[in-house]
Amino acid sequence: MSEVQMNPDLIEPPYPLQAHLGFYIVDWREDYARLELPITPHLGNRFGIVHGGVHAMMLDTAMGFSGAYTGDRDAPQQTMTLSMTTNFLSQARGDLLIAEGFRTGGGRKTFFARAQITDNTGELIATATGVFRYRGRG
């Protein structure tokens, strides 16, 4: 597990899906977000490997957070996924998933992002690109 590198004032309580799955945000700043998820049995598919839907959710979340940073806990920015393309490349070899999201451009109403998931051995597991819409602030 990585040490949290973000402003502690920006750490939000986990929302229900986040609490259920067990991922957490360890770094969040302008145009970037990093999430980590310890691999546990309840994340597995019927073959015992992490379900692709878990990867897609982490990629989507990392990209959304990468465009939602405001630096102000009292003025959160919400985002909504308009489209997402996901590529599944490998399976985890380690015991921790690391999702990194990068805002790559956009304008006043929408933004573009890319993301990748690696594990703690460095294995590249999945990548994604997406288009997101900004929603109202807090």
Side-chain angles (χ1 to χ4, degrees):
M1 284 186 236
S2 294
E3 190 173 309
V4 174
Q5 301 173 29
M6 59 188 263
N7 179 342
D9 293 336
L10 298 178
I11 297 173
E12 302 171 358
Y15 54 90
L17 178 65
Q18 181 182 359
H20 176 72
L21 293 177
F23 71 89
Y24 44 93
I25 301 170
V26 297
D27 195 355
W28 189 26
R29 56 186 183 266
E30 189 79 24
D31 300 332
Y32 178 78
R34 177 180 169 138
L35 315 172
E36 294 185 359
L37 175 63
I39 297 174
T40 57
H42 80 278
L43 301 174
N45 62 20
R46 61 189 251 214
F47 301 109
I49 60 174
V50 178
H51 192 285
V54 173
H55 298 307
M57 178 278 308
M58 288 191 64
L59 292 162
D60 181 47
T61 303
M63 289 188 292
F65 269 93
S66 77
Y69 183 83
T70 67
D72 183 351
R73 183 184 182 117
D74 295 327
Q77 174 68 64
Q78 301 296 315
T79 66
M80 176 176 67
T81 309
L82 297 177
S83 70
M84 185 172 100
T85 301
T86 305
N87 301 293
F88 300 100
L89 307 171
S90 185
Q91 69 184 55
R93 310 245 184 269
D95 59 4
L96 181 72
L97 296 178
I98 301 160
E100 294 179 285
F102 305 86
R103 182 184 172 278
T104 58
R108 190 171 55 83
K109 294 184 178 182
T110 61
F111 69 93
F112 304 95
R114 68 178 175 84
Q116 66 179 31
I117 294 179
T118 56
D119 68 11
N120 55 319
T121 72
E123 184 75 21
L124 180 61
I125 297 163
T127 61
T129 57
V131 181
F132 297 79
R133 175 176 288 281
Y134 292 111
R135 300 192 64 189
R137 283 199 160 171

